[in-house]
Amino acid sequence: MQPAPSAHNAWITRLAAPVAGSAQGPLSGLRFAAKDNIDVAGVPTTAACPAFAYRPAAHATVVRRLLDAGASLLGKTNLDQFACGLNGTRSPYGAVPNAFDPAYVCGGSSSGSAYVVATGQAEFALGTDTAGSGRVPAGLNNIVGLKPSRGLISARGVVPAAQSVDCVSIFAGTVGLAARVLAQAMGHDPLDPYSRKLTLASRPFPTAFRFGVPDRLEFFGDELSRREFALAVQQLRALGGTAVTVDYAPLAQAAALLYESALVAERYAAIRGFFDGRAEEVMEPVRSIIGGGCGHSAADLFEAHAQLRALGQVADRMWDRIEVLLVPTAPAHYTIAQMQAEPVVLNRNLGAYTNFVNLLDYAALSVPSSLRSDGLPFGITLIGPCASDWQLAELGQRYHHATGLAIGATDSRLPEPEPIAALPGDGQVKLAVVGAHLSGMPLNGQLLERNARLLASTETAPDYRLFALPGTTPPKPGLLRVAPGTGHRIAVEVWEMPLAHYGSFVALIPPPLGIGTLTLADGTQVQGFACDALATTQAQDISHHGGWRAYVDARTGTAPLS
């Protein structure tokens, strides 16, 4: 599935030797790429416009921070010209294809950065995000796209698209790595006019959290994506969430202002000196979009800002009812041919759930959700108020690991979840559950009321057998370790519970069940449910089902998830 890395237009400058980071640091040994609107000293910055190119004398602040943290820079990546687009086809350096099927768009404008992460050429990459460019290509390529709160990462040394709302974004294979990079990249920069000092929320979202779902969802005819989003809602419920319908109208109206009001003048202002003299060097439709910002008056701009503030006041009411908003990262997949035939309409469609986020000063995290029946990825985005970055990362990591997906278009499995910076992680115990405590099962509430959090859905090592224990209420299975070569891999969920609540949970477990040490498929060991061997002698062996949920489904013919 993974295409050859050299012929897909992802790189504008691939350095012969990486720019080495510090010998020691928290990111030591990691390789990254930078979107080619971000300065690297001595390397041309093109913004995908050769006539605009210049050779900076200094690194962008974010590049310098990451090099100081030990990461090494591989080169500069392709983008929609002047970061104006969400599809990855608007570049004289060629269209960047989807990492799963080269006939489809990669998403943009940070297309090259997403592609090199999805294909394993770099562990992480920098993009920029004004209207969704750090999220759409992540969702279309099965990787993580972290769009931080505005001003959290310095944009000094970044060619602006719309400077007041631009964000440097992070692409990575896992949420844990993206959060680790954010911890090194962030920081106030007094030389960036839009940098600001932010105190990020330091507690996770509540165990029983409320997530918003738009009251009107548009997938532009892509029924596969509609189906996957419905499954994503179920998955977030399984993590302890309660779905709350929210009014999407003020968000959609705010999104429309980005290109359909005087706010577009900021895109013209970003490159006015170049555009006024050499507009013919700018490719269509980028030229028409930026040129559309030329004719607005100062009064028009103030009017647009007032409209935006009014819409923000209405939209912000949703945070009284929810902790986080759930949306599709992108509502549809389009082929490159389709995009080039209708470049404005289809590009607008890709931004249906992204354009409002920076305008309204929210944080966002795109995480992989599933692979559709046609093999293309589907991603979801978790959106929170400004400064909710760590909270989104904690929830997003749990969601991602519950999917069991590989990383990007590679065969690499997800590693163990990482602690999220600034969130409490000590005093926790990992617990594998196998039966009535699984998500959506009758006893799952015993975990949720003790603030337990689902980390991953996985399997045991192939050394266990599963039995349906007779006479148990609610029905329960027994998991028994057996001799090597005589067992099965059994589906389990790994949860994390505060140690303070662990004793009261164990006290609820009736014989013949108990807690022991389980070995998972990857060789790691966690606490988990075990069973007295004597109790299995009269029990039905259901190991061939591969897990309790599959056994229940086979018996009832209905899905047990609520």
Side-chain angles (χ1 to χ4, degrees):
M1 181 177 293
Q2 181 175 329
S6 60
H8 286 79
N9 305 323
W11 298 95
I12 290 179
T13 302
R14 181 71 186 267
L15 300 173
V19 179
S22 298
Q24 294 182 338
L27 302 181
S28 181
L30 297 177
R31 306 163 303 160
F32 76 104
K35 184 176 179 179
D36 201 17
N37 60 344
I38 302 174
D39 286 349
V40 173
V43 179
T45 298
T46 71
C49 181
F52 175 82
Y54 62 92
R55 194 178 295 268
H59 296 311
T61 299
V62 63
V63 170
R64 177 179 53 77
R65 285 182 181 271
L66 295 175
L67 292 171
D68 289 347
S72 297
L73 179 70
L74 298 175
K76 310 286 289 297
T77 54
N78 203 355
L79 64 150
D80 282 327
Q81 193 173 69
F82 292 113
C84 190
L86 288 172
N87 60 83
T89 70
R90 299 174 176 179
S91 171
Y93 297 97
V96 180
N98 190 280
F100 283 73
D101 187 335
Y104 284 81
V105 300
C106 182
S109 61
S110 309
S111 52
S113 288
Y115 186 89
V116 300
V117 171
T119 54
Q121 299 176 59
E123 280 74 45
F124 70 93
L126 297 178
T128 60
D129 188 308
T130 303
S133 297
R135 291 162 278 157
V136 169
L140 297 183
N141 289 277
N142 196 44
I143 60 173
V144 171
L146 190 158
K147 199 294 300 178
S149 295
R150 277 177 12 203
L152 189 59
I153 298 178
S154 171
R156 182 161 59 103
V158 178
V159 178
Q163 192 174 11
S164 67
V165 292
D166 287 344
C167 295
V168 174
S169 63
I170 298 165
F171 296 102
T174 68
V175 176
L177 176 54
R180 202 172 356 135
V181 173
L182 176 62
Q184 302 305 314
M186 61 188 278
H188 179 242
D189 180 358
L191 297 180
D192 171 7
Y194 290 99
S195 179
R196 53 183 174 168
K197 297 177 181 178
L198 288 173
T199 300
L200 302 187
S202 59
R203 301 294 302 178
F205 290 127
T207 303
F209 61 93
R210 301 159 300 169
F211 65 95
V213 178
D215 59 350
R216 52 191 181 97
L217 287 160
E218 177 60 72
F219 293 89
F220 305 101
D222 193 328
E223 292 305 310
L224 292 181
S225 287
R226 182 184 296 276
R227 188 175 308 134
E228 297 306 318
F229 185 71
L231 295 175
V233 171
Q234 292 184 24
Q235 179 60 34
L236 210 54
R237 284 176 172 150
L239 292 178
T242 298
V244 177
T245 301
V246 299
D247 180 10
Y248 196 67
L251 302 177
Q253 291 165 18
L257 291 175
L258 187 65
Y259 289 110
E260 298 172 18
S261 76
L263 294 183
V264 76
E266 191 168 18
R267 288 192 177 263
Y268 165 62
I271 59 166
R272 177 168 55 176
F274 175 78
F275 192 84
D276 284 350
R278 305 184 67 177
E280 73 281 358
E281 302 282 1
V282 181
M283 65 189 300
E284 288 290 1
V286 176
R287 185 193 313 147
S288 294
I289 293 169
I290 294 175
C294 298
H296 293 284
S297 70
D300 293 336
L301 184 58
F302 276 105
E303 183 178 283
H305 274 294
Q307 288 180 296
L308 180 61
R309 292 293 297 270
L311 289 168
Q313 296 279 17
V314 175
D316 281 352
R317 296 172 190 164
M318 68 182 173
W319 302 123
D320 295 331
R321 304 172 56 224
I322 62 174
E323 278 75 40
V324 63
L325 175 64
L326 170 71
V327 297
T329 298
H333 276 274
Y334 295 116
T335 65
I336 292 174
Q338 287 173 319
M339 183 61 65
Q340 291 175 335
E342 293 188 83
V344 175
V345 173
L346 299 191
N347 186 87
R348 184 187 302 121
N349 292 353
L350 288 180
Y353 300 105
T354 61
N355 284 355
F356 65 87
V357 174
N358 284 347
L359 292 176
L360 297 179
D361 199 14
Y362 301 152
L365 178 72
S366 174
V367 293
S369 186
S370 57
L371 293 182
R372 310 182 332 169
S373 60
D374 61 358
L376 293 172
F378 178 78
I380 55 103
T381 294
L382 303 171
I383 300 170
C386 177
S388 64
D389 304 70
W390 297 138
Q391 296 173 309
L392 294 174
E394 190 277 334
L395 178 58
Q397 180 169 241
R398 289 195 288 124
Y399 184 97
H400 189 195
H401 280 260
T403 67
L405 292 167
I407 296 175
T410 74
D411 295 325
S412 299
R413 298 183 62 179
L414 290 173
E416 282 291 303
E418 298 185 31
I420 302 300
L423 293 184
D426 295 333
Q428 304 283 325
V429 61
K430 291 181 181 178
L431 176 71
V433 301
V434 69
H437 288 89
L438 293 167
S439 302
M441 292 292 185
L443 298 183
N444 184 247
Q446 293 180 353
L447 293 171
L448 295 177
E449 66 192 16
R450 287 167 175 79
N451 295 325
R453 301 176 184 279
L454 177 61
L455 296 179
S457 297
T458 184
E459 295 177 323
T460 67
D463 302 325
Y464 294 86
R465 300 192 79 86
L466 191 68
F467 298 85
L469 300 176
T472 54
T473 304
K476 302 180 184 71
L479 185 69
L480 185 67
R481 190 178 186 102
V482 295
T486 65
H488 289 258
R489 295 181 187 270
I490 303 298
V492 296
E493 290 179 352
V494 178
W495 290 69
E496 186 179 70
M497 179 185 295
L499 194 57
H501 299 319
Y502 187 56
S504 68
F505 176 79
V506 173
L508 296 174
I509 302 172
L513 299 176
I515 295 293
T517 300
L518 267 61
T519 302
L520 302 180
D522 62 1
T524 60
Q525 293 186 326
V526 297
Q527 298 294 290
F529 277 82
C531 184
D532 187 332
L534 186 62
T536 66
T537 57
Q538 302 298 318
Q540 179 186 0
D541 188 334
I542 59 172
S543 307
H544 61 284
H545 287 281
W548 181 249
R549 196 186 301 279
Y551 167 71
V552 171
D553 285 347
R555 288 191 63 196
T556 65
T558 60
L561 280 174
S562 59

